[in-house]
Amino acid sequence: MGELRVVALGYDHPDAIRLTGQVQAEYVRRYGGPDESPIDAAQFDPPHGVFLLGYLDGEPVAMAGWRRLRPAEYHAAHVAGVAGPAAEVKRMYVAAQARGAGFARALLVELERTAAAAGLDWLLLETGSKQPEAIALYRSSGYSDVPAFGHYADAELSVHLGKRLAAAGDAMPDR
């Protein structure tokens, strides 16, 4: 497989819309319905967020973004030690034909880099228990359990994770 070219584009870019359709189909297959998180494309516009698309040989094959959160949106996690500005990772996806080449990890590294450059201290995310490969990626990248937050805070199959971006080597605070 070739090298992934990562470009910051809008969440409403046609290639992002195409990949969003694919990830929604994946959610339907795994969970019986699409992700219903409320998303406004403007939330991913700088300085409030970033949305990345990954291209392989000119074709869009991967995407991911972060959107800045207000403290009230992650109150439970804040109580557990998440302090400072935070953002939520959304729409991390690699198309089936491009999986296994490290593209998700490359996007995650770029999300962390851009979030830290934007002055954020934490990245938080929600994923589902029926996505073991995503959970393994996040945990192997230093993400730890945080209290439930956001749209799926009460969803039985949700897994909530976070990572402090500030100082290298800092551990997630005990809950």
Side-chain angles (χ1 to χ4, degrees):
M1 227 176 264
E3 187 173 324
L4 188 71
R5 181 175 62 91
V6 177
V7 181
L9 294 170
Y11 182 78
D12 54 359
H13 185 278
D15 291 339
I17 292 169
R18 184 169 126 198
L19 289 175
T20 297
Q22 291 177 22
V23 74
Q24 290 288 23
E26 184 78 15
Y27 295 147
V28 169
R29 187 180 69 75
R30 292 187 189 213
Y31 298 100
D35 177 5
E36 296 177 349
S37 297
I39 292 182
D40 176 354
Q43 294 173 317
F44 296 97
D45 292 343
H48 307 293
V50 165
F51 200 78
L52 305 173
L53 286 168
Y55 290 87
L56 184 62
D57 300 326
E59 285 297 311
V61 297
M63 67 177 180
W66 60 260
R67 60 183 180 178
R68 192 177 296 266
L69 294 172
R70 295 182 317 275
E73 294 174 299
Y74 60 94
H75 177 73
H78 179 74
V79 169
V82 175
E88 179 182 20
V89 173
K90 293 297 292 179
R91 294 295 187 255
M92 173 73 76
Y93 176 72
V94 176
Q97 73 273 16
R99 292 181 186 155
F103 296 157
R105 189 170 304 277
L107 284 177
L108 187 58
V109 166
E110 185 63 7
L111 289 178
E112 292 172 1
R113 186 194 70 74
T114 58
L120 296 167
D121 291 339
W122 288 87
L123 278 181
L124 304 173
L125 62 94
E126 180 277 330
T127 190
S129 60
K130 293 185 178 184
Q131 294 169 259
E133 60 281 90
I135 294 168
L137 167 71
Y138 296 129
R139 290 198 187 283
S140 71
S141 297
Y143 288 75
S144 302
D145 293 322
V146 297
F149 70 94
H151 184 76
Y152 289 105
D154 297 323
E156 181 180 325
L157 298 176
S158 284
V159 176
H160 299 265
L161 302 169
K163 180 177 180 179
R164 185 165 186 216
L165 301 174
D170 281 356
M172 186 78 171
D174 293 333
R175 293 189 286 143

